[in-house]
Amino acid sequence: MSRDVNPFGLRLPPELKEELERLAEQNRRSLNAELIVRLEESVQREGQTCITAEEIRQIVEQALAKAGKG
């Protein structure tokens, strides 16, 4: 990422920030990088009318991971 990006203050509920920090650590990214990846994915999905095979795979993996924790 370029160094000419201006800082952007963001207020998050503490619980959401903690969850994003946990996910960032799990994905071996900084909190900033995690937020960028998630925002980019969200923007890319905007306007899509169908779910992709990759999205199905991610949903299934997330569901299986959650099921294994419970």
Side-chain angles (χ1 to χ4, degrees):
M1 178 179 293
S2 169
R3 287 278 186 205
D4 62 345
V5 175
N6 291 325
F8 175 74
L10 177 65
R11 289 185 286 260
L12 294 172
E15 301 82 17
L16 178 58
K17 184 179 180 200
E18 289 170 8
E19 180 66 11
L20 287 165
E21 288 172 332
R22 185 190 67 75
L23 291 166
E25 184 176 338
Q26 178 181 324
N27 293 320
R28 296 186 173 149
R29 295 192 273 248
S30 68
L31 176 58
N32 188 73
E34 187 71 23
L35 290 168
I36 289 170
V37 166
R38 289 174 177 275
L39 288 169
E40 286 176 341
E41 288 174 354
S42 174
V43 168
Q44 288 174 356
R45 279 193 305 268
E46 189 71 29
Q48 287 184 349
T49 58
C50 62
I51 190 166
T52 66
E54 177 62 22
E55 288 171 316
I56 292 171
R57 184 189 65 75
Q58 290 176 354
I59 291 167
V60 170
E61 284 182 358
Q62 290 172 356
L64 291 172
K66 286 182 182 178
K69 291 179 183 177

